[in-house]
Amino acid sequence: MSTGVIVPAAGSGTRLGEALPKAFVDLDGRSILEVCVAGIVDAGIADSVVVVVPVDLIDTARTLVPDVTVVAGGAHRSESVRAGLDALGSDYDIVLVHDAARPLVPASVFRRVVDGVRAGHPAVVPGLPVADTLKQVDPSGSSSAERVVATVDREVLRAIQTPQGFTREALLRAHADDSGLATDDAGLAERCGIDVHVVPGDPLAFKITTPWDLRIARDVLAETGKVHP
Ligand code: CTP
Ligand code: MG
């Protein structure tokens, strides 16, 4: 079975607040996008990689990651994923969708996700147990002191990461009816009745969203000197 990887990297990085779109921000002399693509290549699971970037940064991206396909994304993440799916074509039985914003994912996570799909699951996502106590609040109240409605049972919850792996057929079905509400590809799959399974994720698969996350990612790289263990 052959595997294609789509890397959505077309977001603007509003919450990060840097001058450049997030995927083009520097980590260790290399951009987040370069470190992410190096991790995918090092994992040795990809027969083809398609990176999806803002339209005005296509040429820049082609210079940064010359060995992969680069196409333009859309206004929403799911549109960018569909642009990646179109560019990937129909030659791949397994398709992984992996956020550029998670550049430090270890090879073992890629392997677990691919192995899960190869084992017969149509959709496989990496996830971690939740460490914090989780409380449901009444969002209609004051944002300075929200009233607690309930404490949620965290034992049955998982924080979901990427890469998310699918049979090509499942991912196409998931994206055929996107009304824009799901926050990940597996969410789209669930909504059309596709079984989604969770395999163990990894703390290094965290998403760079805020300046704090960027600092952690830079520190990890500076300390280990090597990523994707
Ligand atoms: N993404 C994309 N196309 C979009 C929006 C997001 O390809 N229209 C990608 C981002 O580049 C990122 C991944 O989806 O790799 C996860 O999105 P997120 O972390 O929300 O990144 P941004 O949308 O860039 O950040 P923000 O929401 O803070 O603006
Ligand atoms: Mg976003």
Side-chain angles (χ1 to χ4, degrees), residues 53-146:
V53 301
V55 67
D56 53 324
L57 286 166
I58 287 188
D59 290 342
T60 306
R62 286 189 177 138
T63 311
L64 294 175
V65 286
D67 299 329
V68 305
T69 303
V70 178
V71 297
H76 299 286
R77 183 183 177 283
S78 54
E79 290 168 20
S80 298
V81 172
R82 282 194 289 279
L85 257 172
D86 286 346
L88 194 61
S90 55
D91 291 344
Y92 304 93
D93 326 283
I94 298 175
V95 181
L96 265 51
V97 183
H98 178 44
D99 290 337
R102 301 179 188 269
L104 304 185
V105 176
S108 54
V109 176
F110 283 100
R111 286 195 294 267
R112 279 197 287 275
V113 169
V114 170
D115 286 350
V117 181
R118 281 198 180 132
H121 297 307
V124 176
V125 299
L128 289 177
V130 182
D132 290 321
T133 295
L134 297 178
K135 295 195 190 292
Q136 182 185 343
V137 296
D138 176 1
S140 67
S142 154
S143 60
S144 61
E146 297 166 312

Side-chain angles (χ1 to χ4, degrees), residues 11 13 15 22 77 207:
R15 289 168 288 179
K22 182 157 67 181
R77 183 183 177 283
K207 184 157 72 77

